[in-house]
Amino acid sequence: MEKEPRPWYQVLARTAVFCVVLNWALQNPALAGQWLAAVQQLAAPFAVGAALAFVINVPLCCIETRMDGLPKKLRRPMALTFLGLFLIILLSAVVGVLAPQLRRTVLSLQENLPRMWDRFWLWAEAQRQHWPFLGELLSLREDQALWEAVRRQVESRSLLNTTVDAAAGALSALANLGIGAVLAVYILAQKESLCHKLKMVLRAWLPRQAACRVWDTAKLAAQTFAAFLSGQCLEACILGGMFAVTLWFCHMPYALLISLLIALSALVPIVGSVFGCLAGVLLIASEDPVQAAWFVVLFLALQQIEGNLIYPRVVGSKVGLPSLWVLAAVTVGGKLFGIPGMIIMIPLCAVAYTLAAGATLQRLRSRRQQEEDPFRQMRRG
């Protein structure tokens, strides 16, 4: 039974309402921005909860598949409990390893930074004849007016306001994370029911063919994102292990701490480990600046191996995207949306690549059938 078209006055009324709202938003951009910010603030815990549920669902499914001997009603609660305990133990172990080393690093930096600062200026004075730009740098050091302007600029900033703003932002982020974690548990506990209701909504409001297409695309996107997350975690572990072995073999300080920081920052595709490199340079430079320079050389070498060989093969094979397209997706996503674009663009490109490949194969089959039909008819004739 075909769906009857909507009356013309309903279409006209909806178009008029849309035009009025759009005109108001264009005429009052500041107020519209405040409304959007308020909506975003309200929706932030739900978005965080959905994102956490999606990420946690990947290991949760792996745990549930290994609980075939238990009744179905007990698998999900036990899997969530086991995963929660594992995450708590893992975070406690990471904090227990990082906290003492961070404390020692801060004390070392506090003690060695003045000496390193003076040593740098002595080196610059000694190399002034060979490197002309160092003369300009030394002239800046002697410019008392410049340093006085910098001091006034720093003092003009209210330390109290900055601290209050930072504390408010941190509390808001922690509140969103806490509410999101609770929502994630509810979503994972009832994910089959939620998927069934979402499918019913699609069938109720969309034509049957469009609803099936939307559902299949969403399912493909979820599978691709899950594969991307597992590949990204595997790549981060490989990179962290490479740095741990290399730094230990070269007898560099803070080998474990730097390897953990690089592994965590490597969760951002391709360029995330650069932030880990900066942290490693600061940590090693507090002990030995020469070793810090050698660390940069090692980082560049390992980064080339990881970026050109390991990452495209590991992550590309997980999401079904060729290595060239992985690098292109990271580059385009970083140019358009920064770090979030790098994370999101790879699975999105994988979904688009899969859909385009399927559509191309289907079109080739249809054209091949159209080309073969006339020959078949001629043979029959």
Side-chain angles (χ1 to χ4, degrees):
M1 182 177 179
E2 296 184 358
K3 189 176 180 180
E4 296 182 359
R6 293 174 182 172
W8 63 270
Y9 54 85
Q10 290 186 1
V11 178
L12 182 61
R14 293 182 180 181
T15 305
V17 171
F18 174 76
C19 292
V20 169
V21 173
L22 180 61
N23 181 63
W24 176 84
L26 294 176
Q27 294 293 331
N28 304 278
L31 188 58
Q34 292 179 1
W35 279 95
L36 288 176
V39 172
Q40 181 182 3
Q41 188 175 2
L42 290 174
F46 299 96
V48 171
L52 286 176
F54 183 81
V55 173
I56 297 174
N57 185 57
V58 177
L60 184 67
C61 293
C62 297
I63 296 173
E64 284 186 349
T65 54
R66 288 166 175 77
M67 293 183 174
D68 295 334
L70 296 176
K72 276 190 174 183
K73 294 183 178 180
L74 295 178
R75 291 180 192 174
R76 184 68 50 78
M78 291 192 66
L80 284 172
T81 304
F82 175 78
L83 187 59
L85 291 175
F86 174 76
L87 290 177
I88 291 173
I89 293 173
L90 180 63
L91 289 175
S92 302
V94 170
V95 171
V97 171
L98 291 181
Q101 294 199 12
L102 284 176
R103 181 177 179 276
R104 187 178 64 179
T105 302
V106 171
L107 294 176
S108 177
L109 286 174
Q110 185 179 1
E111 180 181 356
N112 295 331
L113 272 179
R115 185 172 54 192
M116 292 170 56
W117 180 259
D118 295 335
R119 189 186 303 172
F120 169 76
W121 289 114
L122 291 175
W123 174 84
E125 185 69 33
Q127 302 294 326
R128 186 173 186 174
Q129 297 178 353
H130 304 287
W131 305 96
F133 71 92
L134 292 177
E136 300 178 1
L137 189 62
L138 290 170
S139 64
L140 289 178
R141 185 194 182 189
E142 298 172 358
D143 190 354
Q144 299 296 330
L146 174 63
W147 295 108
E148 184 65 22
V150 171
R151 186 185 63 81
R152 287 198 302 267
Q153 184 68 22
V154 172
E155 291 178 353
S156 65
R157 299 177 180 271
S158 177
L159 182 61
L160 180 61
N161 292 337
T162 304
T163 305
V164 170
D165 293 340
L171 289 176
S172 178
L174 288 176
N176 290 336
L177 185 61
I179 298 173
V182 176
L183 291 173
V185 173
Y186 278 100
I187 291 172
L188 292 173
Q190 304 175 4
K191 61 179 182 178
E192 289 84 4
S193 176
L194 291 174
C195 289
H196 179 67
K197 291 177 181 178
L198 181 59
K199 192 182 295 185
M200 291 175 60
V201 170
L202 290 175
R203 289 180 178 177
W205 292 96
L206 292 177
R208 182 177 182 83
Q209 186 175 3
C212 293
R213 187 175 302 174
V214 170
W215 184 258
D216 292 339
T217 304
K219 193 174 180 180
L220 175 63
Q223 293 173 353
T224 305
F225 270 82
F228 169 73
L229 288 175
S230 60
Q232 194 69 29
C233 293
L234 177 61
E235 188 269 341
C237 293
I238 293 174
L239 185 63
M242 290 171 56
F243 271 94
V245 172
T246 305
L247 295 180
W248 176 80
F249 182 78
C250 296
H251 302 285
M252 289 192 177
Y254 306 108
L256 180 59
L257 177 60
I258 294 173
S259 302
L260 286 175
L261 291 176
I262 290 177
L264 291 175
S265 60
L267 295 175
V268 178
I270 301 296
V271 299
S273 55
V274 175
F275 299 101
C277 173
L278 295 176
V281 168
L282 291 176
L283 292 174
I284 297 177
S286 65
E287 298 288 338
D288 190 352
V290 177
Q291 281 192 332
W294 282 110
F295 171 76
V296 174
V297 175
L298 289 175
F299 173 82
L300 293 175
L302 294 178
Q303 183 70 11
Q304 290 296 319
I305 297 173
E306 184 264 345
N308 296 314
L309 296 177
I310 299 176
Y311 186 84
R313 294 180 182 276
V314 172
V315 179
S317 62
K318 287 285 186 179
V319 300
L321 196 63
S323 303
L324 177 63
W325 292 106
V326 172
L327 295 176
V330 171
T331 303
V332 174
K335 290 289 184 181
L336 293 177
F337 306 107
I339 293 178
M342 294 179 185
I343 299 174
I344 297 174
M345 191 59 70
I346 292 179
L348 286 181
C349 286
V351 172
Y353 181 83
T354 305
L355 293 176
T360 303
L361 291 176
Q362 186 176 1
R363 190 169 181 83
L364 286 174
R365 290 189 191 125
S366 63
R367 284 200 169 186
R368 190 177 300 168
Q369 291 177 359
Q370 291 177 1
E371 292 174 355
E372 290 178 355
D373 285 342
F375 292 101
R376 291 180 180 176
Q377 293 178 1
M378 290 175 62
R379 291 174 182 174
R380 291 177 182 176

